[in-house]
C-alpha cells in the first residue's frame, strides 16, 4: 500500500517546506560556529575583595546573553587556605562583567574560574587583596577649659574677704548686745506688772466710791 506525502513535492507547499527545512539545517550550525564552542574567561582582579572577571565568546568576543554557570576557587600561595567554590553573578549595567558575591579576605590568592555553561571555559590569575584600614575613630574631646569662678575649696585671693558661710543656727550676738537685750526685756516686764497693779488699784477705788454714793 502506497502512502501519499502530506505535502506533495510538486505542489507549492511542498517546495516551501523543503526550503524552510534546509534553511534551518544550515542556519543552526552557522550560528553555533559563529560564537564557537568555548568561552573566554579573563580574571581581571578584585573589587573590595570580590573576584572580577570578563567572560565572552571565544571566537567573536561577543557578550554572552545566557546565564553563565561558573565556579570560582581561590587558594593561598602556600596552599594552607582555600576559598570556594563560589558562583559568578553578572555585574549590574555590564554585559561581559561577572563577579563573586562573596569577599576574599586580605592576602594573595591564586584564583581559578571554570565555566560549564553555555560552553566550556577556564581562566586563572593571582590577585592581591589589600588590607582596608578601619574608619578613623572620633577625635577625643579636649580637656575642659577652667571655669572663671573658683571652686569652693580653692583659697580666696589675697586682699579679698571670704564670703560669709551660712549655717543652720544664728551666729551668737556680742556680749554687750546680749546684756542690753536682757535689760530691755526686764524693764518691759516690770512696766507691764506696774501697769497691771495700777489698774487693779484703780478698780478697787472706783468700786468704793460707787458704794458710798449709794
Amino acid at each position: 500500500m502506497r502512502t501519499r506525502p502530506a505535502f506533495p513535492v510538486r505542489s507549492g507547499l511542498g517546495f516551501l517546506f523543503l526550503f524552510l527545512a534546509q534553511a534551518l539545517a544550515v542556519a543552526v550550525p552557522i550560528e553555533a560556529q559563529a560564537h564557537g564552542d568555548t568561552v573566554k574567561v579573563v580574571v581581571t582582579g578584585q573589587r573590595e575583595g570580590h573576584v572580577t572577571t570578563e567572560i565572552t565568546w571565544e571566537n567573536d568576543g561577543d557578550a554572552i546573553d545566557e546565564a553563565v554557570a561558573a565556579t570560582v576557587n581561590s587558594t593561598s600561595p602556600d596552599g594552607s587556605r582555600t576559598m570556594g567554590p563560589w558562583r559568578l553573578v553578572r555585574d549590574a549595567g555590564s554585559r561581559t562583567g561577572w563577579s563573586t558575591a562573596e569577599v576574599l579576605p586580605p592576602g594573595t590568592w591564586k584564583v581559578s574560574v571554570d565555566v560549564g555553561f553555555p560552553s566550556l571555559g577556564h581562566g586563572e590569575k593571582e590577585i592581591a587583596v589589600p588590607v582596608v584600614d578601619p574608619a578613623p575613630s572620633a577625635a577625643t574631646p579636649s580637656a575642659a577649659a577652667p571655669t572663671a569662678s573658683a571652686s569652693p575649696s580653692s583659697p580666696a585671693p589675697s586682699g579679698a574677704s571670704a564670703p560669709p558661710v551660712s549655717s543652720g543656727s544664728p551666729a551668737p550676738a556680742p556680749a554687750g548686745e546680749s546684756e542690753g537685750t536682757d535689760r530691755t526685756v526686764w524693764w518691759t516686764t516690770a512696766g507691764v506688772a506696774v501697769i497691771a497693779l495700777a489698774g487693779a488699784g484703780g478698780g478697787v477705788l472706783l468700786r468704793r466710791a460707787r458704794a458710798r454714793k449709794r
Side-chain angles (χ1 to χ4, degrees):
M1 181 179 180
R2 298 178 62 182
T3 58
R4 299 179 58 185
F7 299 100
V9 178
R10 295 180 180 179
S11 65
L13 291 177
F15 281 112
L16 180 61
F17 177 78
L18 288 177
F19 176 77
L20 292 177
Q22 291 178 0
L24 181 62
V26 173
V28 171
I30 291 177
E31 183 178 359
Q33 187 177 2
H35 286 306
D37 54 358
T38 58
V39 296
K40 182 180 180 180
V41 181
V42 178
V43 181
T44 57
Q46 62 84 31
R47 181 177 61 250
E48 297 179 353
H50 302 273
V51 179
T52 58
T53 63
E54 291 284 337
I55 301 178
T56 57
W57 288 105
E58 181 74 30
N59 284 3
D60 52 17
D62 288 347
I64 299 176
D65 297 329
E66 299 92 336
V68 171
T71 57
V72 181
N73 291 277
S74 305
T75 308
S76 61
D78 58 0
S80 60
R81 293 188 299 171
T82 58
M83 304 295 289
W86 297 337
R87 69 185 187 91
L88 288 175
V89 294
R90 192 188 298 271
D91 290 338
S94 175
R95 297 187 60 198
T96 60
W98 299 75
S99 60
T100 59
E102 296 81 4
V103 178
L104 283 174
T108 303
W109 300 91
K110 181 180 180 181
V111 178
S112 61
V113 179
D114 292 285
V115 179
F117 181 84
S119 292
L120 300 179
H122 176 80
E124 60 182 35
K125 183 180 181 180
E126 186 173 278
I127 63 175
V129 180
V131 178
V132 179
D133 294 334
S137 59
T140 56
S142 58
T147 57
S149 60
S151 61
S153 60
S154 61
S158 60
S161 60
V165 179
S166 61
S167 60
S169 59
E177 184 179 354
S178 177
E179 293 177 359
T181 302
D182 294 339
R183 291 176 180 176
T184 303
V185 172
W186 185 87
W187 282 110
T188 302
T189 305
V192 172
V194 171
I195 293 173
L197 290 175
V204 171
L205 295 176
L206 182 60
R207 288 175 185 175
R208 287 180 180 181
R210 289 178 180 178
R212 289 175 182 177
K213 290 180 180 181
R214 292 176 184 178

